[in-house]
Amino acid sequence: MALQAPQTLTDGVVVLREFREGDRAVCLSTMRDELVHTWLNMPAEPRDSDFDSLLRTARNGRTSGERIDYAVTEVGHDVAVGAVIASRRHRDNYEIAYLAGPA
């Protein structure tokens, strides 16, 4: 059974929402961060095609239920400041990964 996740979640302080085209610049900047490279397999020189791949992976994962990607934003400020990703690992078990920008 595939996980059906809402498009957005909020606790009144932060909002988790799907990634979209407007997140391109901040996502590419995050991909270039040295600390992010320490923990995640990111391209050495991220390009627009890498962001396009991220959007495709997120969309396909959500459709299949194998992966749910959320951009993290602050309520009232629709700018991505981080990400939360749930990936299916075994049966109905999911691994949660998260990251936040330096600010």
Side-chain angles (χ1 to χ4, degrees):
M1 178 179 189
L3 178 66
Q4 297 297 316
Q7 290 182 331
T8 61
L9 295 166
T10 186
D11 65 356
V13 177
V14 298
V15 176
L16 304 182
R17 62 157 171 79
E18 293 181 272
F19 280 99
R20 55 182 172 237
E21 180 59 37
D23 299 320
R24 182 177 296 271
V26 72
C27 284
L28 289 173
S29 175
T30 300
M31 287 179 182
R32 290 182 188 99
D33 185 276
E34 287 189 36
L35 186 57
V36 170
H37 279 263
T38 301
W39 297 101
L40 301 173
N41 183 21
M42 292 289 170
E45 297 292 328
R47 299 183 316 252
D48 281 333
S49 61
D50 296 309
F51 180 75
D52 296 338
S53 178
L54 175 127
L55 287 181
R56 207 172 23 260
T57 298
R59 183 178 54 246
N60 292 342
R62 185 174 282 272
T63 299
S64 71
E66 295 296 314
R67 177 177 166 140
I68 307 297
D69 290 57
Y70 286 112
V72 178
T73 68
E74 296 177 70
V75 169
H77 303 290
D78 193 26
V79 176
V81 296
V84 176
I85 300 131
S87 303
R88 185 190 302 262
R89 291 297 176 224
H90 180 66
R91 288 186 265 160
D92 289 329
N93 295 313
Y94 284 78
E95 173 181 273
I96 303 293
Y98 61 92
L99 66 94

